């Protein structure tokens, strides 16, 4: 069963919360992060992406960069820009996008739950990306970005969260991208105990977003255990910062694909090759968004086509029957020669939040490209894959809205 605990959050002073809160560190390029910090010196990116505090020629993965992140966090605490709650608390974090709200429980998750599979994942991680966050977490002795976890719908949790959000929020602001953010603090021991027991009855939690942050936090926790062989699992380093959401409140967006540098022969016979496994319908619409599982939109030579998966290639296997898997197994690999989507430079991933016009723009700029608009992977598919201990192809899910970093920090 899942184990969580309350903690003394380091969090922004109320009047600065909208200035400090920032999108996750990996959303931005280094130049984009620098521009944001230049315009807003309070942005949490100056901690999460501390290379913004150095000349552009600095190695963003050097020790001095991580040490700058740690010293900046200390300075912001000393200046009163960050405060820390005196008692262990839980928090409710609500995000509202386009009229849809999702409410998450901010808490600490147990690293042993990650190690023993109570916290389940659906993506692989890359060692180089892990190392960056390992160094950041270890040198800062803090988790600065929460892990986005999901749990199967739970009426007991819903009821108590609904009661808490009737009270006055701790924070209430709208970020520059129009996302509403509200936070409530749960300090009453009875409520903390009740919620902890509810979560303790859950067999599994699921990583929705933040696989690299989770893996890195766990590895730092294991490193600290080695450094403190007398540990008893109650120390703060045995836990990592998380936000837990009811899966019914979450929305997965499409994660689209563009194949570049297609040779002339493949381009000439493309529709014929695709038709072997997909029914092709030419569309007159300016853009085409798939309406159900088994449909894929294709933008090719300035025209949209609807591709429908033929029944004979559908699979009873939970991973192989994902739309992104069917696209790869029956098109990207055999037709375009893309074997490893993680490393092939001809394959570009485009988040669905950018819209179909972005796919059209990319293809119009590169005449030897073709774009594929995917129907979003469902939460049911994600949970099923994780429950089987399987992994999805890379870039199968895109969650919106994104959790902000800097609203909650867990020091250890």
């Amino acid at each position: 069963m899942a184990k969580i605990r309350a903690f003394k959050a380091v969090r922004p002073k109320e009047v600065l919360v909208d200035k400090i809160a920032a999108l996750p560190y990996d959303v931005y390029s280094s130049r984009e992060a620098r521009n944001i910090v230049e315009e807003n010196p309070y942005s949490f990116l100056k901690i999460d992406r501390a290379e913004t505090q150095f000349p552009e020629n600095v190695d963003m993965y050097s020790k001095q960069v991580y040490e700058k992140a740690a010293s900046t966090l200390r300075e912001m605490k000393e200046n009163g820009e960050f405060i820390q709650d005196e008692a262990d608390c839980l928090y409710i974090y609500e995000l509202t996008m386009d009229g849809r709200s999702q409410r998450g429980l901010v808490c600490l998750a147990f690293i042993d739950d990650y190690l023993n599979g109570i916290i389940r994942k659906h993506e692989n991680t890359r060692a180089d990306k892990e190392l960056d966050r390992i160094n950041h977490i270890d040198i800062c002795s803090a988790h600065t970005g929460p892990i986005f976890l999901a749990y199967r719908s739970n009426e007991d949790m819903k009821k108590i969260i609904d009661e808490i959000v009737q009270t006055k929020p701790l924070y209430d602001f709208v970020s520059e991208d129009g996302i509403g953010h509200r936070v409530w603090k749960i300090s009453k021991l009875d409520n903390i105990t009740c919620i902890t027991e509810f979560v303790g009855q859950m067999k599994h939690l699921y990583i929705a977003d933040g696989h690299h942050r989770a893996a890195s936090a766990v590895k730092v926790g294991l490193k600290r255990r080695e450094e403190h062989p007398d540990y008893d699992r109650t120390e703060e380093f045995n836990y990592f910062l998380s936000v837990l959401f009811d899966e019914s409140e979450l929305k997965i967006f499409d994660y689209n694909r563009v194949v570049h540098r297609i040779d002339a022969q493949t381009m000439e016979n493309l529709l014929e090759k695709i038709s072997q496994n997909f029914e092709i319908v030419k569309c007159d619409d300016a853009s085409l968004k798939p309406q159900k599982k088994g449909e894929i939109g294709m933008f090719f030579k300035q025209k949209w086509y609807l591709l429908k998966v033929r029944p004979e290639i559908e699979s009873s296997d939970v991973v192989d029957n994902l739309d992104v898997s069917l696209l790869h197994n029956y098109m990207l690999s055999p037709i375009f020669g893309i074997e490893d989507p993680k490393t092939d430079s001809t394959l570009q991933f485009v988040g669905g939040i950018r819209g179909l016009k972005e796919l059209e723009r990319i293809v119009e700029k590169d005449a030897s490209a073709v774009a594929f608009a995917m129907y979003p992977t469902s939460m049911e598919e994600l949970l099923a894959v994780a429950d089987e201990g399987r992994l999805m192809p890379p870039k199968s899910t895109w969650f919106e809205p994104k959790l902000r970093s800097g609203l909650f920090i867990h020091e250890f």
Side-chain angles (χ1 to χ4, degrees), residues 45 51 55 67 76 81 114 119 203 224 227 239 255 283 292 300 322 328 332 338 356 363 365 384 387-388 412:
L45 284 172
E51 79 271 14
E67 289 176 340
M76 292 184 74
E81 295 162 356
Y114 180 93
I119 295 176
K203 290 184 179 181
R224 294 296 175 97
E227 295 168 354
Y239 297 82
Y255 218 142
C283 302
K292 60 182 179 180
F300 173 60
L322 296 170
H328 179 81
L332 299 188
I338 296 173
L356 298 187
V363 172
K365 189 176 179 180
D387 279 339
E388 287 197 6
F412 55 91

mmCIF file of all heavy atoms in Angstrom, residues 45 51 55 67 76 81 114 119 203 224 227 239 255 283 292 300 322 328 332 338 356 363 365 384 387-388 412:
data_model
loop_
_atom_site.group_PDB
_atom_site.id
_atom_site.type_symbol
_atom_site.label_atom_id
_atom_site.label_comp_id
_atom_site.label_asym_id
_atom_site.label_seq_id
_atom_site.Cartn_x
_atom_site.Cartn_y
_atom_site.Cartn_z
ATOM 1 N N LEU A 45 13.087 29.774 -12.313
ATOM 2 C CA LEU A 45 14.044 29.232 -13.270
ATOM 3 C C LEU A 45 15.482 29.598 -12.919
ATOM 4 O O LEU A 45 16.416 28.901 -13.324
ATOM 5 C CB LEU A 45 13.714 29.716 -14.680
ATOM 6 C CG LEU A 45 12.520 29.036 -15.354
ATOM 7 C CD1 LEU A 45 12.178 29.736 -16.658
ATOM 8 C CD2 LEU A 45 12.796 27.559 -15.589
ATOM 9 N N GLU A 51 22.084 27.993 -14.783
ATOM 10 C CA GLU A 51 23.027 28.514 -15.779
ATOM 11 C C GLU A 51 22.619 29.900 -16.243
ATOM 12 O O GLU A 51 23.425 30.633 -16.832
ATOM 13 C CB GLU A 51 23.146 27.562 -16.973
ATOM 14 C CG GLU A 51 22.026 27.623 -17.998
ATOM 15 C CD GLU A 51 20.862 26.692 -17.684
ATOM 16 O OE1 GLU A 51 20.812 26.209 -16.532
ATOM 17 O OE2 GLU A 51 20.033 26.447 -18.568
ATOM 18 N N PRO A 55 27.446 33.543 -17.741
ATOM 19 C CA PRO A 55 27.569 33.814 -19.178
ATOM 20 C C PRO A 55 27.152 32.598 -19.995
ATOM 21 O O PRO A 55 27.192 31.458 -19.506
ATOM 22 C CB PRO A 55 29.061 34.115 -19.353
ATOM 23 C CG PRO A 55 29.524 34.569 -17.999
ATOM 24 C CD PRO A 55 28.715 33.784 -17.018
ATOM 25 N N GLU A 67 25.823 24.594 -7.548
ATOM 26 C CA GLU A 67 26.096 25.302 -6.289
ATOM 27 C C GLU A 67 25.435 26.676 -6.288
ATOM 28 O O GLU A 67 24.983 27.160 -5.244
ATOM 29 C CB GLU A 67 27.612 25.423 -6.085
ATOM 30 C CG GLU A 67 28.272 24.095 -5.753
ATOM 31 C CD GLU A 67 29.786 24.197 -5.657
ATOM 32 O OE1 GLU A 67 30.346 25.186 -6.225
ATOM 33 O OE2 GLU A 67 30.407 23.317 -5.044
ATOM 34 N N MET A 76 17.238 33.538 -1.208
ATOM 35 C CA MET A 76 15.821 33.895 -1.296
ATOM 36 C C MET A 76 15.098 33.602 0.020
ATOM 37 O O MET A 76 14.145 34.308 0.389
ATOM 38 C CB MET A 76 15.161 33.163 -2.468
ATOM 39 C CG MET A 76 15.665 33.636 -3.830
ATOM 40 S SD MET A 76 14.797 32.865 -5.234
ATOM 41 C CE MET A 76 13.209 33.715 -5.178
ATOM 42 N N GLU A 81 11.893 36.004 0.623
ATOM 43 C CA GLU A 81 11.127 35.736 -0.605
ATOM 44 C C GLU A 81 10.503 34.343 -0.549
ATOM 45 O O GLU A 81 9.439 34.101 -1.117
ATOM 46 C CB GLU A 81 12.046 35.893 -1.816
ATOM 47 C CG GLU A 81 12.534 37.327 -1.983
ATOM 48 C CD GLU A 81 13.763 37.434 -2.869
ATOM 49 O OE1 GLU A 81 14.302 36.403 -3.310
ATOM 50 O OE2 GLU A 81 14.201 38.574 -3.118
ATOM 51 N N TYR A 114 8.599 3.488 -4.727
ATOM 52 C CA TYR A 114 9.084 3.538 -6.109
ATOM 53 C C TYR A 114 9.906 2.288 -6.400
ATOM 54 O O TYR A 114 9.773 1.667 -7.457
ATOM 55 C CB TYR A 114 9.936 4.782 -6.307
ATOM 56 C CG TYR A 114 10.520 4.958 -7.698
ATOM 57 C CD1 TYR A 114 9.862 5.710 -8.664
ATOM 58 C CD2 TYR A 114 11.743 4.375 -8.044
ATOM 59 C CE1 TYR A 114 10.403 5.881 -9.936
ATOM 60 C CE2 TYR A 114 12.296 4.535 -9.311
ATOM 61 C CZ TYR A 114 11.621 5.287 -10.247
ATOM 62 O OH TYR A 114 12.155 5.448 -11.503
ATOM 63 N N ILE A 119 4.670 2.532 -6.555
ATOM 64 C CA ILE A 119 4.601 3.659 -7.489
ATOM 65 C C ILE A 119 5.033 3.127 -8.850
ATOM 66 O O ILE A 119 6.162 2.673 -9.023
ATOM 67 C CB ILE A 119 5.514 4.812 -7.048
ATOM 68 C CG1 ILE A 119 5.034 5.399 -5.719
ATOM 69 C CG2 ILE A 119 5.552 5.916 -8.117
ATOM 70 C CD1 ILE A 119 5.933 6.475 -5.154
ATOM 71 N N LYS A 203 -3.476 0.691 -3.498
ATOM 72 C CA LYS A 203 -2.476 -0.316 -3.840
ATOM 73 C C LYS A 203 -1.333 0.290 -4.641
ATOM 74 O O LYS A 203 -0.182 -0.130 -4.506
ATOM 75 C CB LYS A 203 -3.123 -1.451 -4.634
ATOM 76 C CG LYS A 203 -4.054 -2.331 -3.816
ATOM 77 C CD LYS A 203 -4.572 -3.491 -4.657
ATOM 78 C CE LYS A 203 -5.479 -4.398 -3.840
ATOM 79 N NZ LYS A 203 -5.979 -5.553 -4.656
ATOM 80 N N ARG A 224 22.059 9.058 -0.066
ATOM 81 C CA ARG A 224 22.079 9.532 1.320
ATOM 82 C C ARG A 224 22.006 8.354 2.307
ATOM 83 O O ARG A 224 22.584 8.415 3.394
ATOM 84 C CB ARG A 224 20.919 10.499 1.558
ATOM 85 C CG ARG A 224 21.017 11.815 0.779
ATOM 86 C CD ARG A 224 22.219 12.641 1.192
ATOM 87 N NE ARG A 224 22.371 13.835 0.380
ATOM 88 C CZ ARG A 224 21.936 15.049 0.723
ATOM 89 N NH1 ARG A 224 21.296 15.225 1.873
ATOM 90 N NH2 ARG A 224 22.132 16.089 -0.070
ATOM 91 N N GLU A 227 25.405 7.165 2.715
ATOM 92 C CA GLU A 227 26.193 8.096 3.527
ATOM 93 C C GLU A 227 25.783 8.065 4.995
ATOM 94 O O GLU A 227 26.534 8.511 5.859
ATOM 95 C CB GLU A 227 26.019 9.516 2.972
ATOM 96 C CG GLU A 227 26.593 9.685 1.567
ATOM 97 C CD GLU A 227 26.168 10.994 0.910
ATOM 98 O OE1 GLU A 227 25.334 11.719 1.486
ATOM 99 O OE2 GLU A 227 26.685 11.286 -0.190
ATOM 100 N N TYR A 239 12.098 10.418 1.256
ATOM 101 C CA TYR A 239 10.840 10.831 0.641
ATOM 102 C C TYR A 239 11.105 11.870 -0.439
ATOM 103 O O TYR A 239 12.118 12.571 -0.398
ATOM 104 C CB TYR A 239 9.898 11.415 1.695
ATOM 105 C CG TYR A 239 9.505 10.400 2.753
ATOM 106 C CD1 TYR A 239 10.340 10.123 3.827
ATOM 107 C CD2 TYR A 239 8.300 9.703 2.658
ATOM 108 C CE1 TYR A 239 9.999 9.172 4.779
ATOM 109 C CE2 TYR A 239 7.941 8.766 3.613
ATOM 110 C CZ TYR A 239 8.800 8.503 4.664
ATOM 111 O OH TYR A 239 8.446 7.558 5.599
ATOM 112 N N TYR A 255 0.289 13.658 -28.616
ATOM 113 C CA TYR A 255 1.727 13.905 -28.803
ATOM 114 C C TYR A 255 2.027 13.503 -30.246
ATOM 115 O O TYR A 255 2.069 12.322 -30.580
ATOM 116 C CB TYR A 255 2.554 13.083 -27.827
ATOM 117 C CG TYR A 255 3.765 13.814 -27.286
ATOM 118 C CD1 TYR A 255 4.174 13.665 -25.967
ATOM 119 C CD2 TYR A 255 4.509 14.666 -28.105
ATOM 120 C CE1 TYR A 255 5.270 14.335 -25.470
ATOM 121 C CE2 TYR A 255 5.611 15.332 -27.618
ATOM 122 C CZ TYR A 255 5.981 15.156 -26.293
ATOM 123 O OH TYR A 255 7.086 15.829 -25.810
ATOM 124 N N CYS A 283 -9.153 14.340 -47.121
ATOM 125 C CA CYS A 283 -10.042 15.305 -46.479
ATOM 126 C C CYS A 283 -9.878 16.687 -47.098
ATOM 127 O O CYS A 283 -8.777 17.078 -47.483
ATOM 128 C CB CYS A 283 -9.746 15.368 -44.982
ATOM 129 S SG CYS A 283 -9.930 13.783 -44.148
ATOM 130 N N LYS A 292 -11.236 9.635 -32.579
ATOM 131 C CA LYS A 292 -11.346 8.447 -31.739
ATOM 132 C C LYS A 292 -10.093 7.594 -31.909
ATOM 133 O O LYS A 292 -9.292 7.794 -32.832
ATOM 134 C CB LYS A 292 -12.590 7.636 -32.097
ATOM 135 C CG LYS A 292 -12.624 7.131 -33.526
ATOM 136 C CD LYS A 292 -13.921 6.391 -33.804
ATOM 137 C CE LYS A 292 -13.977 5.899 -35.251
ATOM 138 N NZ LYS A 292 -15.237 5.171 -35.529
ATOM 139 N N PHE A 300 0.339 15.697 -45.659
ATOM 140 C CA PHE A 300 1.314 15.248 -46.655
ATOM 141 C C PHE A 300 1.094 16.011 -47.952
ATOM 142 O O PHE A 300 -0.011 16.043 -48.492
ATOM 143 C CB PHE A 300 1.124 13.731 -46.864
ATOM 144 C CG PHE A 300 1.941 13.141 -47.975
ATOM 145 C CD1 PHE A 300 3.321 13.206 -47.963
ATOM 146 C CD2 PHE A 300 1.319 12.470 -49.019
ATOM 147 C CE1 PHE A 300 4.067 12.635 -48.978
ATOM 148 C CE2 PHE A 300 2.055 11.893 -50.047
ATOM 149 C CZ PHE A 300 3.441 11.979 -50.012
ATOM 150 N N LEU A 322 -1.548 0.433 -28.636
ATOM 151 C CA LEU A 322 -1.561 1.888 -28.536
ATOM 152 C C LEU A 322 -1.446 2.476 -29.942
ATOM 153 O O LEU A 322 -0.727 1.942 -30.786
ATOM 154 C CB LEU A 322 -0.386 2.383 -27.680
ATOM 155 C CG LEU A 322 -0.366 1.985 -26.204
ATOM 156 C CD1 LEU A 322 0.983 2.359 -25.585
ATOM 157 C CD2 LEU A 322 -1.495 2.651 -25.438
ATOM 158 N N HIS A 328 4.121 3.324 -35.188
ATOM 159 C CA HIS A 328 5.539 2.973 -35.302
ATOM 160 C C HIS A 328 5.726 1.619 -35.981
ATOM 161 O O HIS A 328 6.528 1.488 -36.919
ATOM 162 C CB HIS A 328 6.183 2.930 -33.918
ATOM 163 C CG HIS A 328 7.642 2.550 -33.967
ATOM 164 N ND1 HIS A 328 8.631 3.455 -34.263
ATOM 165 C CD2 HIS A 328 8.259 1.349 -33.822
ATOM 166 C CE1 HIS A 328 9.802 2.839 -34.289
ATOM 167 N NE2 HIS A 328 9.598 1.553 -34.021
ATOM 168 N N LEU A 332 6.233 3.964 -39.247
ATOM 169 C CA LEU A 332 7.509 4.636 -39.008
ATOM 170 C C LEU A 332 8.691 3.695 -39.199
ATOM 171 O O LEU A 332 9.704 4.068 -39.803
ATOM 172 C CB LEU A 332 7.540 5.236 -37.598
ATOM 173 C CG LEU A 332 6.490 6.292 -37.265
ATOM 174 C CD1 LEU A 332 6.778 6.920 -35.904
ATOM 175 C CD2 LEU A 332 6.436 7.377 -38.342
ATOM 176 N N ILE A 338 12.624 4.056 -39.330
ATOM 177 C CA ILE A 338 12.905 4.581 -37.977
ATOM 178 C C ILE A 338 12.833 3.428 -36.995
ATOM 179 O O ILE A 338 11.751 2.911 -36.683
ATOM 180 C CB ILE A 338 11.899 5.688 -37.596
ATOM 181 C CG1 ILE A 338 12.055 6.880 -38.540
ATOM 182 C CG2 ILE A 338 12.089 6.119 -36.147
ATOM 183 C CD1 ILE A 338 11.004 7.953 -38.365
ATOM 184 N N LEU A 356 -2.677 21.794 -34.510
ATOM 185 C CA LEU A 356 -2.384 21.232 -35.831
ATOM 186 C C LEU A 356 -1.719 22.238 -36.770
ATOM 187 O O LEU A 356 -1.014 21.852 -37.708
ATOM 188 C CB LEU A 356 -3.669 20.708 -36.464
ATOM 189 C CG LEU A 356 -4.376 19.579 -35.705
ATOM 190 C CD1 LEU A 356 -5.534 19.039 -36.536
ATOM 191 C CD2 LEU A 356 -3.414 18.450 -35.349
ATOM 192 N N VAL A 363 5.693 21.191 -41.883
ATOM 193 C CA VAL A 363 5.730 20.497 -43.169
ATOM 194 C C VAL A 363 5.853 21.480 -44.329
ATOM 195 O O VAL A 363 6.540 21.208 -45.321
ATOM 196 C CB VAL A 363 4.483 19.607 -43.331
ATOM 197 C CG1 VAL A 363 4.398 19.018 -44.732
ATOM 198 C CG2 VAL A 363 4.498 18.492 -42.286
ATOM 199 N N LYS A 365 7.476 24.138 -44.271
ATOM 200 C CA LYS A 365 8.859 24.599 -44.251
ATOM 201 C C LYS A 365 9.811 23.525 -44.788
ATOM 202 O O LYS A 365 10.892 23.832 -45.313
ATOM 203 C CB LYS A 365 9.247 24.985 -42.816
ATOM 204 C CG LYS A 365 10.587 25.674 -42.681
ATOM 205 C CD LYS A 365 10.819 26.099 -41.240
ATOM 206 C CE LYS A 365 12.168 26.778 -41.072
ATOM 207 N NZ LYS A 365 12.395 27.205 -39.666
ATOM 208 N N ALA A 384 -3.255 0.774 -17.516
ATOM 209 C CA ALA A 384 -3.152 -0.633 -17.897
ATOM 210 C C ALA A 384 -1.713 -1.019 -18.219
ATOM 211 O O ALA A 384 -1.233 -2.089 -17.814
ATOM 212 C CB ALA A 384 -4.062 -0.917 -19.088
ATOM 213 N N ASP A 387 0.215 -1.122 -14.949
ATOM 214 C CA ASP A 387 -0.161 -2.272 -14.130
ATOM 215 C C ASP A 387 0.467 -3.569 -14.623
ATOM 216 O O ASP A 387 0.685 -4.499 -13.846
ATOM 217 C CB ASP A 387 -1.684 -2.418 -14.085
ATOM 218 C CG ASP A 387 -2.332 -1.480 -13.077
ATOM 219 O OD1 ASP A 387 -1.627 -1.021 -12.158
ATOM 220 O OD2 ASP A 387 -3.542 -1.204 -13.197
ATOM 221 N N GLU A 388 0.748 -3.631 -15.912
ATOM 222 C CA GLU A 388 1.420 -4.808 -16.457
ATOM 223 C C GLU A 388 2.935 -4.722 -16.329
ATOM 224 O O GLU A 388 3.656 -5.626 -16.756
ATOM 225 C CB GLU A 388 1.042 -5.013 -17.929
ATOM 226 C CG GLU A 388 -0.378 -5.528 -18.130
ATOM 227 C CD GLU A 388 -0.594 -6.106 -19.527
ATOM 228 O OE1 GLU A 388 0.394 -6.213 -20.291
ATOM 229 O OE2 GLU A 388 -1.744 -6.450 -19.837
ATOM 230 N N PHE A 412 15.851 18.608 2.619
ATOM 231 C CA PHE A 412 16.197 17.435 3.435
ATOM 232 C C PHE A 412 17.671 17.464 3.808
ATOM 233 O O PHE A 412 18.447 18.221 3.224
ATOM 234 C CB PHE A 412 15.868 16.134 2.680
ATOM 235 C CG PHE A 412 16.511 16.029 1.318
ATOM 236 C CD1 PHE A 412 17.756 15.436 1.186
ATOM 237 C CD2 PHE A 412 15.864 16.527 0.182
ATOM 238 C CE1 PHE A 412 18.351 15.344 -0.068
ATOM 239 C CE2 PHE A 412 16.443 16.412 -1.065
ATOM 240 C CZ PHE A 412 17.679 15.826 -1.202
#
